[in-house]
Amino acid sequence: MKFILMCCVEVLSPASSKYFMGACSADFQAPWDEFSPEGPKRDADWELLERGYNTAYEWYQKSNGKWVIGDTFTYADIIDIIVACWLMAFKQVLREDEWARISSWNGWKWVQVRADVEQECKVPQNF
């Protein structure tokens, strides 16, 4: 999901962007401009991301409540919060059309999960 990292640069200050791009390039041992260019590589990144969310959706489908293990927020949900944390980040860094794309997956499930996590974790309204 290197294209998500590319989106982060757009919301950082110029100095932070420069540092972030250098750090990511070093971590991934790849030039920044090769991370996820538009086209087949970006499409493959989107497909990989959607497959991950489809897997998480299957976990929710097996539940009798709004959380992975029913109506109680548990450690399983904290682990799955990785999904929710990324949702929080995606909403902040993705373009509106990209956020709409993720939001629509699995019958708009991820909009509800994000709202439930915000309520459960008492996330400030404008986050």
Side-chain angles (χ1 to χ4, degrees):
M1 268 44 74
K2 293 178 186 173
F3 77 95
I4 300 295
L5 297 175
M6 295 181 80
C7 295
C8 293
V9 169
E10 296 175 17
V11 299
L12 296 173
S13 70
S16 294
S17 292
K18 183 178 178 180
Y19 175 80
F20 185 80
M21 289 187 293
C24 288
S25 291
D27 287 348
F28 288 99
Q29 299 178 348
W32 181 256
D33 58 350
E34 293 179 13
F35 263 42
S36 186
E38 296 285 341
K41 192 170 186 177
R42 175 80 52 96
D43 294 342
D45 284 347
W46 272 105
E47 289 174 21
L48 181 62
L49 181 62
E50 187 171 8
R51 279 198 312 267
Y53 276 85
N54 288 341
T55 298
Y57 181 71
E58 291 173 15
W59 303 335
Y60 283 100
Q61 290 300 103
K62 294 176 182 177
S63 173
N64 292 327
K66 72 177 181 178
W67 300 110
V68 174
I69 304 179
D71 288 323
T72 303
F73 190 70
T74 66
Y75 185 70
D77 299 296
I78 293 168
I79 295 299
D80 195 45
I81 281 297
I82 294 169
V83 172
C85 285
W86 278 113
L87 287 172
M88 305 297 275
F90 292 163
K91 178 77 166 103
Q92 300 300 314
V93 301
L94 294 177
R95 295 186 309 249
E96 193 171 318
D97 63 315
E98 293 170 327
W99 171 244
R101 181 177 182 175
I102 292 173
S103 296
S104 70
W105 291 340
N106 309 111
W108 300 90
K109 174 68 176 176
W110 307 113
V111 172
Q112 186 59 55
V113 169
R114 186 176 192 276
D116 291 343
V117 169
E118 286 175 345
Q119 183 178 14
E120 187 68 33
C121 297
K122 297 173 180 51
V123 175
Q125 282 295 88
N126 293 324
F127 182 79

